[in-house]
Amino acid sequence: MRNAFIEELVYLAHQHPHIALIVGDLGYSVVEPFADSFPDRFINAGVAEQNMTGLAAGMASEGYHVFTYSIANFPTFRCAEQIRNDIDYHQLPVTVVSVGGGLAYGALGYSHHAVQDYALMRSFPNMLIAAPGDPMEVRACMRYLIQNPQPSYLRLGKAGEPCFHTQVPTIHPGRWLSVIQAKEAIEKPSTFLTTGATLAIAAEWLKNTPYKNHSVHSLPLWGMSNKSMQAAQFHPFSAVESVEDHLMDGGFGSWLMESVVTHKESLTKLDIYSLSADVCNLVGSQTLLNQYGGLVPKKK
């Protein structure tokens, strides 16, 4: 995903001279194509994420669309006040980019576990979360954000994620994106609804007998302002099972639950796959921690 991000950023920056990138002394071997092509629009702010975010807000107030880039929790929790007061409150076109969402950096421990970031970022009223499920969705999110500048949070995986789309899809905030159709046509199918890199996990679960007739949908763009759109999208399905690499508290499934809490018919269809808080104390590979944390098919 991160390679698709920088390729798309360079492509868009050639067309839009107001795009800038600020990094927190991270991203080596990834960000060089942008830095080499646009040295006057690239800044390494050093290990100073609060300053990086304030600088991004100042540049955005002068007409730039700024992307800040760092690993997991560093561009989010470490500078939450600056995101809240400088970017979201003033509705500035700054995209906070977090690479290694979920447990992608699980081997580095809790300091690098990005399993509470949705909870933080979705609490800001003007923030749009962009959580692409594959490299093509990364490109789609980038194009949408440039065409619709606003406070945004782009949550990327790390590298090597499979591609499920043959071309860049058209996406809209709050609208579910069909990725895999159910094998058999039935009146009320079930679907997995994913956000972020858990798209690959849901696709893998389709190989299990209880889920062989599920479809898979992705929701790459969502936030506080998109809740009213969710209940109607539940109607075609007998069950909607959300999948996320985040703790349940404050996560994507909780956001869905809040969205349909007054719609009993939709609420009863929802089942949530998320991570147990037990992973917060553990160090290990992403695959191992996802499994330990509960991202495994439920017995039916």
Side-chain angles (χ1 to χ4, degrees), residues 64-75:
Y64 284 94
H65 186 146
V66 186
F67 290 77
T68 62
Y69 179 98
S70 192
I71 291 175
N73 297 313
F74 304 149

Side-chain angles (χ1 to χ4, degrees), residues 24 48-57 68-88 94 96-97 120-121 124 127 153:
E49 288 81 3
Q50 293 172 329
N51 182 56
M52 174 179 73
T53 305
L55 174 61
T68 62
Y69 179 98
S70 192
I71 291 175
N73 297 313
F74 304 149
T76 53
F77 282 95
R78 195 172 281 183
C79 42
E81 183 179 3
Q82 286 72 28
I83 295 172
R84 176 180 181 265
N85 294 344
D86 298 346
I87 296 173
D88 190 75
V94 175
V96 177
V97 183
L120 172 67
M121 302 304 280
F124 301 140
M127 184 67 63
Y153 174 51

